[in-house]
């Protein structure tokens, strides 16, 4: 009873809301780095994406995807700004998520007791990648169209259960009705992303050790830090929106789907390129699909592939994490600017080699 | 900036009239719309529309635009109504300001179809500059180059040969503002017009972007300083 009175009137009636209010009074260890604000910034970006996405969906027409987006940019008052919010919001959300994952790897933040939080962050990446790909296709540009054609052609060659799922997903050969389906999935997945990020934050909070010794209140100490981080994010957002709205989004999508013959290589938005490169390094439909699934499973399994018991990762291990970061970056670059099939294969090999061989080996060595 | 002056005339919008001359943006070539702080040169874009209407509209549509959109280039509603009224749609009726730009009858030049030009600047790397280079890139093929049937040499086009003929020449249109209609001037003007067509909000985007960047830069500095003060006291 006393506990309840402390948490306040609202908290005793609506646990979730009470949680949000409680956050303001929560005590935390002092001196936490800026990077800890990343999940909150990511949440803000998801909110921006949902709000702008809601407006875009109102005017979007799956049967005339490219033209309806042109209409939003040209005819709807402020439509070009809303589209900009959506595109740049997506770009920055991926940037922050990649950064957060990289930092979690670097600090060993995925180790017990934070395994579950880590798996949820990986799940968020998977959900966002799929949502991002759907958004890329829904643009109605040539790049997205040919990517969808590839996926559709692949789907008809699958049989059994995977084939059934794929057909259910695409609803037959690509056309307006496919886009209508993909739109629904795009929206549903975006809502899933909100759920996943909420769960990930909750899990991360549970995994955080109780502050030992001196603790400081969230308000105003961390509130001021988060606010400054948010202002910096808004600055980057404004820079991109004003001066580089199409940066890294893949030029082919500016061309209407019908106007371009089969491209030699599809130009993906930058945030899809590492995954696309990974899939492309393997042959055949099954190869593409299994490559991506295997990569995701490895990320999930990382807390168990890591054999160390210590909390801080060692020097050598951190060096390899840096190398992995560069490897993923390079994989994205060689996918965006194709230069033969050797480099993507090499970088993909390194990705798997890192998790399957280097991680257990190096952490074991450093544990002794 | 020079005064903008536009007089819609009969037929395909061939323009005549006298007013101020355009300043020289051809040597060296520069586009007011280029760069981070660029804005659409409305006078050039108006002339560019005249070029489009006179020299390109017979083959290329611009389905993304309505005639009323031209008001954003500084034309009055009456001028726009005049332009639209002089366009005969496929069913024989005259266009209105609310009509989309007239779709030309489908031209098929040896398998190549003229692309819609509404977003062509966004579609091609180098956008505005590429359009200019493309339109001024026609000429005799270099010795030893074999042109495919129905193709013309073009230095800017990937592969060097294109099925579009060279359509711009000196005085292909007469400008209402008295600017000398050289081939290069026409190419630069239509490139600016197509840049506007691809992104009608370009000027607004740069203006709003600049203000937002200044505001958030200021806010970021204040927020970081505040955070530091709080952390010194409490952190």
């Amino acid at each position: 009873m006393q506990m309840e009175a402390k948490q306040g009137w609202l908290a005793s009636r609506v646990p979730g809301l009470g949680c949000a209010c409680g956050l303001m009074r929560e005590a935390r260890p002092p001196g936490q780095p800026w990077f800890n604000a990343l999940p909150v910034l990511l949440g803000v970006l998801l909110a921006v994406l949902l709000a702008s996405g809601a407006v875009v969906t109102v005017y979007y027409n799956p049967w005339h995807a490219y033209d309806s987006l042109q209409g939003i940019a040209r005819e709807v008052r402020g439509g070009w700004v809303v589209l900009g919010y959506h595109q740049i919001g997506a770009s920055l959300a991926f940037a922050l998520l990649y950064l957060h994952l990289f930092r979690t790897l670097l600090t060993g933040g995925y180790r017990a007791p934070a395994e579950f939080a880590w798996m949820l962050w990986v799940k968020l990446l998977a959900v966002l990648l799929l949502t991002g790909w759907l958004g890329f296709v829904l643009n109605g540009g040539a790049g997205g169209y040919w990517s969808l054609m590839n996926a559709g052609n692949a789907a008809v060659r699958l049989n059994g259960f995977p084939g059934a799922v794929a057909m259910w997903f695409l609803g037959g050969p690509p056309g307006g009705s496919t886009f209508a389906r993909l739109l629904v999935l795009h929206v549903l997945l975006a809502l899933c992303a909100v759920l996943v990020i909420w769960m990930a934050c909750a899990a991360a909070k549970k995994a955080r050790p109780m502050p030992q010794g001196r603790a400081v209140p969230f308000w105003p100490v961390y509130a001021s830090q988060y606010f400054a981080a948010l202002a910096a994010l808004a600055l980057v957002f404004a820079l991109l929106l004003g001066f580089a709205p199409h940066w890294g989004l893949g030029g082919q999508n500016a061309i209407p789907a019908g106007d371009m013959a089969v491209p030699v290589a599809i130009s993906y938005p930058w945030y899809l390129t590492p995954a696309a490169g990974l899939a492309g390094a393997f042959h055949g439909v099954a190869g593409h699909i299994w490559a991506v699934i295997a990569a995701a499973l490895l990320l999930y399994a990382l807390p168990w592939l890591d054999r160390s018991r210590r909390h801080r990762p060692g020097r050598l291990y951190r060096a390899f994490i840096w190398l992995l970061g560069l490897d993923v970056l390079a994989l994205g670059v060689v996918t965006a600017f194709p230069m033969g099939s050797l480099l993507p294969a090499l970088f993909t090999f390194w990705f798997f080699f890192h998790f399957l061989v280097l991680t257990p080996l190096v952490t074991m060595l450093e544990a002794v | 900036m020079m005064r903008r002056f536009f007089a819609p005339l009969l037929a395909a919008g061939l323009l005549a009239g006298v007013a101020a001359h355009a300043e020289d943006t051809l040597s060296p070539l520069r586009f007011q719309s280029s760069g981070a702080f660029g804005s659409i040169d409305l006078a050039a874009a108006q002339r560019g529309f005249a070029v489009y209407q006179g020299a390109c509209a017979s083959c290329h549509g611009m389905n993304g635009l309505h005639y009323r959109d031209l008001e954003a280039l500084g034309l009055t509603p009456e001028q726009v109504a005049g332009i639209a009224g002089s366009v005969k749609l496929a069913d024989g009726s005259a266009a209105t300001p609310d009509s989309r730009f007239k779709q030309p009858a489908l031209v098929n030049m040896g398998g190549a179809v003229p692309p819609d030009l509404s977003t062509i600047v966004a579609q091609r790397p180098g956008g505005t500059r590429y359009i200019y280079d493309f339109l001024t890139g026609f000429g005799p093929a270099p010795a030893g180059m074999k042109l495919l049937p129905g193709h013309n040499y073009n230095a800017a086009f990937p592969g060097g040969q294109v099925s579009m003929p060279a359509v711009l020449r000196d005085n292909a249109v007469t400008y209402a503002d008295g600017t000398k209609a050289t081939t290069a001037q026409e190419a630069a003007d239509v490139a600016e017009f197509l840049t506007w067509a691809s992104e009608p909000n370009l000027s607004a985007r740069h203006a709003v972007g600049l203000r937002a960047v200044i505001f958030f830069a200021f806010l970021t500095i204040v927020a970081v300083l505040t955070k530091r003060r709080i952390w010194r006291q409490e952190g």
Side-chain angles (χ1 to χ4, degrees):
Chain A
M1 267 335 256
Q2 218 180 0
M3 185 75 176
E4 235 172 51
K6 231 182 196 164
Q7 281 191 347
W9 185 87
L10 193 62
S12 61
R13 284 159 182 82
V14 193
L17 273 183
C19 193
C21 301
L23 182 78
M24 285 289 154
R25 279 181 271 143
E26 191 190 60
R28 296 194 175 191
Q32 296 290 301
W34 286 96
F35 278 120
N36 282 15
L38 280 177
V40 171
L41 298 188
L42 203 49
V44 170
L45 284 177
L46 280 190
V48 168
L49 283 167
L50 280 186
S52 56
V55 176
V56 174
T57 316
V58 167
Y59 296 97
Y60 183 77
N61 180 344
W63 279 267
H64 302 279
Y66 186 92
D67 288 343
S68 67
L69 286 175
Q70 283 291 315
I72 295 172
R74 292 168 191 274
E75 314 285 326
V76 177
R77 185 160 305 167
W80 62 277
V81 184
V82 177
L83 278 179
Y85 283 158
H86 207 65
Q87 287 170 346
I88 291 167
S91 228
L92 284 179
F94 275 102
L96 295 192
L97 182 56
Y98 282 130
L99 198 62
H100 179 66
L101 290 175
F102 178 66
R103 177 174 174 263
T104 310
L105 285 175
L106 205 56
T107 56
Y110 53 82
R111 299 176 186 183
E115 313 99 314
F116 199 67
W118 164 256
M119 289 166 75
L120 283 166
W121 288 119
V122 174
K123 174 158 286 174
L124 183 65
L125 178 65
V127 171
L128 282 193
L129 281 174
L130 197 50
T131 316
W133 180 74
L134 288 170
F136 170 63
V137 171
L138 286 170
N139 266 296
Y145 179 76
W146 285 108
S147 185
L148 176 66
M149 285 300 261
N150 289 348
N153 288 341
V156 296
R157 259 176 282 151
L158 293 174
N159 37 33
F161 181 65
V165 171
M167 283 325 269
W168 169 77
F169 204 79
L170 299 172
S177 49
T178 310
F179 275 53
R181 270 163 202 257
L182 297 189
L183 177 63
V184 173
L185 287 167
H186 183 71
V187 174
L188 282 181
L189 279 169
L191 295 174
C192 281
V194 175
L195 194 70
V196 174
I197 193 174
W198 180 72
M199 280 174 23
C201 284
K205 192 175 159 196
K206 260 273 177 302
R208 259 198 303 272
M210 274 289 156
Q212 309 263 324
R214 210 165 70 81
V216 294
F218 182 84
W219 177 271
V221 178
Y222 284 107
S224 67
Q225 188 192 34
Y226 283 17
F227 182 73
L230 206 57
L233 179 68
L235 177 61
V236 177
F237 206 109
L239 269 171
L240 286 173
L241 189 57
F243 304 106
H246 308 298
W247 187 87
L249 292 183
Q252 281 166 356
N253 254 10
I255 304 174
D259 280 11
M260 195 171 77
V262 196
V264 184
I266 292 169
S267 68
Y268 290 97
W270 69 269
Y271 43 81
L272 297 180
T273 49
L278 202 108
F282 290 84
H283 283 295
V285 186
H288 298 335
I289 295 173
W290 282 115
V292 176
I293 292 180
L297 285 180
L298 277 184
L299 283 172
Y300 272 127
L302 179 60
W304 294 274
L305 291 170
D306 182 325
R307 307 307 304 162
S308 68
R309 305 274 171 277
R310 280 196 305 165
H311 199 66
R312 293 282 308 165
R315 253 234 176 83
L316 186 62
Y317 182 69
R318 295 230 303 273
F320 276 122
I321 295 289
W322 273 104
L323 204 56
L324 177 75
L326 290 178
D327 177 69
V328 172
L329 205 67
L331 186 57
V333 170
V334 296
T335 311
F337 308 100
M339 28 189 149
S341 61
L342 183 67
L343 286 177
L346 184 71
F347 294 139
T348 305
F349 167 77
W350 186 263
F351 182 89
F352 286 104
F353 183 68
H354 174 95
F355 285 108
L356 283 174
V357 180
L358 285 177
T359 301
L361 206 65
V362 172
T363 48
M364 207 131 62
L365 282 178
E366 286 187 335
V368 291
Chain B
M1 269 293 86
M2 42 152 300
R3 268 180 60 216
R4 280 168 242 127
F5 193 85
F6 188 94
L9 278 189
L10 316 157
L14 289 184
L15 308 175
V18 197
H21 287 254
E23 55 186 292
D24 183 21
T25 54
L26 292 178
S27 47
L29 180 68
R30 65 192 161 82
F31 294 98
Q32 191 183 306
S33 57
S34 297
F37 300 109
S39 59
I40 301 293
D41 180 344
L42 295 181
Q46 284 189 16
R47 291 194 301 271
F49 169 69
V51 176
Y52 166 76
Q53 197 73 332
C56 323
S58 52
C59 293
H60 293 281
M62 292 186 78
N63 197 34
L65 274 76
H66 303 84
Y67 290 107
R68 61 164 187 262
D69 298 333
L70 293 170
E71 283 177 32
L73 292 182
L75 302 187
T76 65
E78 293 74 42
Q79 287 171 324
V80 170
I83 292 171
S86 66
V87 174
K88 276 257 175 315
L89 295 180
D91 62 4
S93 64
T96 69
D98 285 334
S99 313
R100 285 181 185 271
F101 275 28
K102 181 182 172 178
Q103 280 298 109
L106 193 64
V107 186
N108 187 332
M109 310 183 70
V113 177
D116 186 278
L117 294 182
S118 317
T119 58
I120 194 82
V121 170
Q123 294 175 23
R124 296 290 180 271
T128 316
R129 180 63 203 245
Y130 169 75
I131 302 294
Y132 175 87
D133 290 342
F134 174 69
L135 292 175
T136 53
F138 292 96
M145 182 169 176
K146 249 184 93 76
L147 289 178
L148 298 165
H151 279 62
N152 307 287
Y153 175 72
N154 187 304
F157 191 75
Q161 39 187 316
V162 65
S163 43
M164 174 173 145
V167 290
L168 293 182
R169 51 188 165 71
D170 290 351
N171 300 315
V173 295
T174 310
Y175 283 135
D177 62 8
T179 303
K180 238 178 108 198
T182 59
T183 306
Q185 184 73 48
E186 291 162 3
D189 289 343
V190 81
E192 189 79 352
F193 169 69
L194 293 176
T195 304
W196 167 78
S198 268
E199 214 194 326
N201 307 300
L202 182 130
S203 308
R205 181 161 62 72
H206 287 164
V208 173
L210 185 63
R211 269 180 261 165
V213 165
I214 292 172
F215 174 77
F216 284 119
F218 186 69
L219 188 69
T220 306
I221 294 171
V222 172
V224 170
L225 292 179
T226 311
K227 180 252 174 194
R228 287 206 171 163
R229 231 187 59 201
I230 291 176
W231 278 45
R232 260 202 307 278
Q233 288 166 356
E234 304 209 31

